[in-house]
Amino acid sequence: MHIDSPQYGTIRQFQRSDIERVLEIAGHSLTEYYTSSLIFDLFDSWPDGFSVYSVGGDIVAFMIGARNTPNEARILMFAVDEPFRRQGIGERLMRDFVEYCSRNGFISLKLEVKTDNESAINFYKKFGFVITSRLRAYYSDASDAFTMWKII
Ligand code: ACO
């Protein structure tokens, strides 16, 4: 079934009962360690910024945004479970988030990504993000981040 088929999957807002699956995908896909209390804090501070993508009732991807300033949103955590990558699910989540931000008065988006994460950097470039700076020893393993930024 194709990603564009309505039967394939749906985007919806995170619910507290999704936490285990979100932590599982984060644990497999992201290199930093995240706790449920941090995830709940992020959700409580901006529920509309936290989306999940589910296929057949199972969550396979999520994106957590935050309000950086009144005009700028930030993508804090974003991952698609490995077997579901390269099917357009990341694109669906990104387009949905950009549309929401655009409708709600944000003018730019910002994020940090590991400098060696070529697939994510390519993904973000496809959506018009540009690298604006390098942050030395940004991650807990002392690796560097690129800051990426986009006008919406
Ligand atoms: N290599 C090169 N380009 C890629 C790749 C890749 N591995 N993956 C995606 N792209 C680009 C392509 O242009 C692709 O279009 P195409 O398939 O028609 O060529 C386009 O992005 C859209 O791809 P999607 O299928 O929508 O992307 P996907 O659903 O796989 O999600 C994501 C992309 C979220 C980066 C996924 O690879 C992932 O979960 N990676 C591991 C976790 C991660 O690195 N998250 C980002 C960390 S930074 C942060 O959280 C702020």
Side-chain angles (χ1 to χ4, degrees):
M1 195 179 296
H2 190 264
I3 174 81
D4 287 334
S5 159
Q7 286 80 35
Y8 184 82
T10 50
I11 297 178
R12 64 165 170 80
Q13 193 177 76
F14 171 81
Q15 297 166 359
R16 285 171 182 271
S17 55
D18 299 330
I19 188 66
E20 273 185 39
R21 185 66 181 126
V22 165
L23 284 172
E24 184 178 38
I25 297 170
H28 293 156
S29 306
L30 301 172
T31 53
E32 298 295 288
Y33 174 71
Y34 300 97
T35 62
S36 53
S37 62
L38 171 72
I39 306 269
F40 286 140
D41 284 350
L42 293 171
F43 176 60
D44 291 339
S45 65
W46 194 27
D48 289 347
F50 194 160
S51 313
V52 299
Y53 190 95
S54 82
V55 173
D58 185 29
I59 292 168
V60 301
F62 70 94
M63 180 189 278
I64 304 179
R67 287 173 289 203
N68 212 27
T69 70
N71 300 122
E72 185 171 81
R74 188 165 161 212
I75 297 172
L76 290 180
M77 294 171 67
F78 180 27
V80 176
D81 201 17
E82 193 162 12
F84 292 88
R85 289 182 197 157
R86 292 310 284 265
Q87 298 179 34
I89 292 174
E91 178 168 349
R92 283 279 300 276
L93 281 164
M94 176 63 81
R95 289 196 186 288
D96 201 69
F97 187 64
V98 169
E99 276 171 29
Y100 175 87
C101 288
S102 170
R103 281 198 314 272
N104 286 277
F106 292 91
I107 57 175
S108 60
L109 288 181
K110 183 186 172 191
L111 59 87
E112 287 81 30
V113 58
K114 278 198 175 199
T115 53
D116 65 359
N117 190 348
E118 285 179 26
S119 50
I121 292 167
N122 278 330
F123 174 90
Y124 292 130
K125 282 183 174 170
K126 179 171 179 180
F127 293 96
F129 284 84
V130 293
I131 293 171
T132 48
S133 64
R134 184 179 188 119
L135 305 174
R136 305 268 168 208
Y138 180 79
Y139 294 101
S140 54
D141 65 358
S143 60
D144 295 353
F146 285 134
T147 302
M148 298 187 79
W149 187 79
K150 162 190 169 67
I151 292 195
I152 52 178

